Amino acid sequence: MPMLLLPILLLLSLVPSLPSERPPSCHEVRAAFQLQEIGRGRLVPEVPIQVSDLQICEPKTSTCCTRRMEESYQAAVRGKLTHNIQTLNFELKFMIVAHTSAFQETFTYLIDTATNNTLSLFDTKYRSMSQDAHESVKELFTDLSLNIMGADMPLEDAFSRFWDSLFPLVYNHLINPGIMSLSGEYLDCLRLTRQDMNPFGNYSSEMLTHLSESLWASRMMKQALSMAEQVINSTEHAGLTRECTHALVKMQFCPHCQGLTLIRPCVGYCLNVMRGCLASLASLDRPWREFIHLVEQLADQMSGSHDLEQSLLGIRDVVDKSIRYAESQGPYLSRMVEKVCGELQESPLKQLSEEKTMKEEVMEQPPISKLHSLGHLRRDFIKHVKPSRTFYTTLAERLCDGDLAVRDGSTCWNGEDVVESYTNLVVSSDFKDQVNNPEVKVRGSNVVINQIINKLRLFIQMGSEKRIKAERWRITEGSGGYDRSEGEGASGECDDEDGCQGSGDNLDPDTKRRRVDETSLVNRTMKDPVLLNPSASRTPPKHRNSSNATSRSHGSLVLIVAALFFMSPFISQVCSATF
C-alpha cells in the first residue's frame, strides 16, 4: 500500500500551487463608474494599468483610472455640487417665490377693494357726478398700484391729477348745480385755478404722509423679495474654479483609482474642500444677514400707522371730507372762479342737487379676509425667512453632512490615503481664512457673486436710511394744495402791497387765508395767459393776432375787478374816516 501512494504523492508535488488571492481587477471601479452615471464602462480598464498622464489622481503604482476618466470625473463633480446647492436652495427659493406671489396677490386685492370702496362713495352719496368721477378714481388707484410695483409714479402727482379732475365735477354738480355743461376751456381754467384756491382744504395732507410711508414699505418689500430671488439664482450659476474641481475629484473619486470605491472622505477634509470651493458664496454671509434684518424692519413698518390696508381704505373718508369742505366754501369759490374764468349762465332746466337733499350715509370699511390680510402674510413671511440668516455661512456643513463624509473615529480618506482621522488644519468659512486652506487654493472672489453683493449692499443702504423726511412727501401748494403755510402765496412771497399784512392783521385766520388765496390767484393770473384767457392756448396760430386785443381787454378787466374787490375794505375805511 505505501508503494502505491508514493507515485501519487510524487505527481501531486509536480502540480503548481494555486495562488492565495485573485489577480488585481477594476471590476468594482467600472461598476461604480456606470452606477453613478459618470460615463461609459468601456472607459475603465479591466485591470490596473501603468499611466503617467493623470493630472489629479497621481498613482503611486498601477491604477484603475485614465485621463479620460478624470475628465468625466470633473464633469461629474461640477454637476453634483451644482445640484446639491440647488437642492439646498430649493426650500428657501420656494418660500421666496411663494411669498412674492402672495404679496402681489394681496396688494392687488387691497387696491381693488379700496377702489370699490371709494367708488361707492360717489355711487351712494354723490350720485349726480358718480359716472364722471369713476374714471378719475380708477386712474388714482392705478397710479397707486404702479407706485407699489416700483414705477416712477410720485404720489404728489397722482393726487394732484385726481383733485384737478375732481374740482370741475364738484364745482358743476355741487357748488353750482344749476349751470349748463361747461366748455373744455372753462374746465381747463377750473383745473388750473384749483391749484391756487385749495378748494378741498388740508384733509389729505396727513393721509398722504401715512400713505406715502405705507406704499414705500410695501414697495421696498416687493423689491426685497425680487432681490432675494436674484441672490439665490446667482449662487446656482456662479461656476466652480479649476482648483475647486480638482479638489472635488481628489476627494470623491481618486480613491476609486486604487479600487477603494466604498471609502468616504474625512469630515474635516470635506469641510476644507467645500469651504474652499464655496468661499465666494460664504462672502455673502454678512450682507445676507443685514438684508434679512432689513426685511424684518420693512415687515414691521408695514404694520401700525403704516398699515397699507388702513391707508388705502381711508382714502374714501378723506375724499368725502374734502368734497364737503369744498361745498361749505361754495360762495367764496364761485367768486374766485368767476373773477378768473368768467361768469356762468344758469341752465333753463335748473337741476336740484341730489347730494344736498340726500341723507348722509355712513359706510363701514369693507372687511379684509384673513387670506388677503397683509398683517397675516408678513408675519408668516418673517417666521419662514428668519432661519435663513445663516444660510450662506453653513453651506459647507450641510453639504458634508449625511453620506458624503464620515466623522472621525471611522477610517476615512484624507486625500492621500486611508486614515483614522484627518490631521490638517480645518479653516473657517470666512473668505479671508481660505489663504490657509490646505486643500483648495482660492485665488480670488467670483465676479458674479461680487456683482450680487454690490446690489445687496446698495439695496440695504437705500432701505436702511432713516425714515423718509417729511419734506419728501409733502405736497406743496403748487403741486397739490396741501400743507400750505399761513401767509404764503403760490410764489412763497408776501408783502404789504399784497394785502398780507397791515390792515389785514386784525382779520380772523379764515379771512386771512382767503386774502392770501386771492392774492396768490391774482399773481398767477397776471403771469399766466391761459388764466387771463382760457381759450388762448387753443387758438390756432393764424388767428392768434386777431385774438390778442380780446385777450388783453379780458385780462385787464379781470385785473380791474380783482383790484376793486381787494381795495373795497380800504375804500370803506377811508370813506368812514372822511364822513
Side-chain angles (χ1 to χ4, degrees), residues 104 107 142-155 215-224 226 459 462 472:
Q104 181 57 53
F107 290 148
T142 298
D143 289 343
L144 298 184
S145 177
L146 292 173
N147 185 282
I148 294 178
M149 295 292 290
D152 185 14
M153 184 62 62
L155 295 188
L215 289 174
W216 179 83
S218 300
R219 184 170 64 252
M220 286 293 290
M221 176 61 79
K222 187 177 186 306
Q223 293 174 0
S226 176
F459 184 84
M462 181 174 62
R472 180 177 177 184

Side-chain angles (χ1 to χ4, degrees), residues 146-349:
L146 292 173
N147 185 282
I148 294 178
M149 295 292 290
D152 185 14
M153 184 62 62
L155 295 188
E156 296 93 329
D157 296 344
F159 274 92
S160 182
R161 285 192 297 272
F162 174 71
W163 298 123
D164 284 348
S165 62
L166 187 61
F167 179 52
L169 300 181
V170 172
Y171 189 80
N172 193 0
H173 293 278
L174 300 182
I175 297 176
N176 291 286
I179 61 177
M180 61 179 59
S181 299
L182 301 179
S183 64
E185 289 81 0
Y186 207 93
L187 290 173
D188 287 342
C189 186
L190 284 172
R191 280 188 280 268
L192 289 168
T193 56
R194 196 281 307 172
Q195 298 180 19
D196 286 308
M197 287 190 299
N198 190 24
F200 296 111
N202 299 321
Y203 291 100
S204 60
S205 58
E206 183 178 357
M207 175 272 295
L208 189 72
T209 300
H210 287 208
L211 180 61
S212 298
E213 294 177 354
S214 299
L215 289 174
W216 179 83
S218 300
R219 184 170 64 252
M220 286 293 290
M221 176 61 79
K222 187 177 186 306
Q223 293 174 0
L225 291 167
S226 176
M227 176 61 67
E229 192 173 350
Q230 289 182 48
V231 173
I232 295 170
N233 288 337
S234 69
T235 63
E236 295 179 355
H237 305 287
L240 303 177
T241 64
R242 178 176 176 272
E243 290 78 9
C244 168
T245 303
H246 284 195
L248 289 170
V249 171
K250 185 177 181 181
M251 180 179 74
Q252 294 179 254
F253 293 112
C254 283
H256 290 206
C257 298
Q258 299 180 27
L260 305 173
T261 56
L262 299 179
I263 198 71
R264 291 183 294 167
C266 307
V267 66
Y269 175 44
C270 179
L271 287 173
N272 275 341
V273 172
M274 290 301 179
R275 285 171 178 170
C277 284
L278 305 178
S280 292
L281 298 190
S283 63
L284 274 165
D285 177 55
R286 183 173 178 178
W288 180 257
R289 287 174 186 264
E290 294 174 354
F291 173 75
I292 296 300
H293 179 66
L294 171 62
V295 168
E296 293 177 27
Q297 289 181 323
L298 290 174
D300 289 339
Q301 289 184 23
M302 293 171 68
S303 62
S305 61
H306 299 155
D307 192 319
L308 184 62
E309 296 174 15
Q310 299 305 317
S311 296
L312 290 174
L313 294 176
I315 292 176
R316 180 187 192 274
D317 186 50
V318 171
V319 171
D320 185 25
K321 289 179 179 179
S322 300
I323 292 175
R324 282 189 284 154
Y325 177 82
E327 271 193 286
S328 69
Q329 302 294 311
Y332 159 71
L333 295 175
S334 294
R335 290 199 307 272
M336 295 299 296
V337 168
E338 288 177 3
K339 286 183 179 67
V340 176
C341 302
E343 294 184 2
L344 295 170
Q345 295 180 352
E346 290 191 358
S347 171
L349 299 176

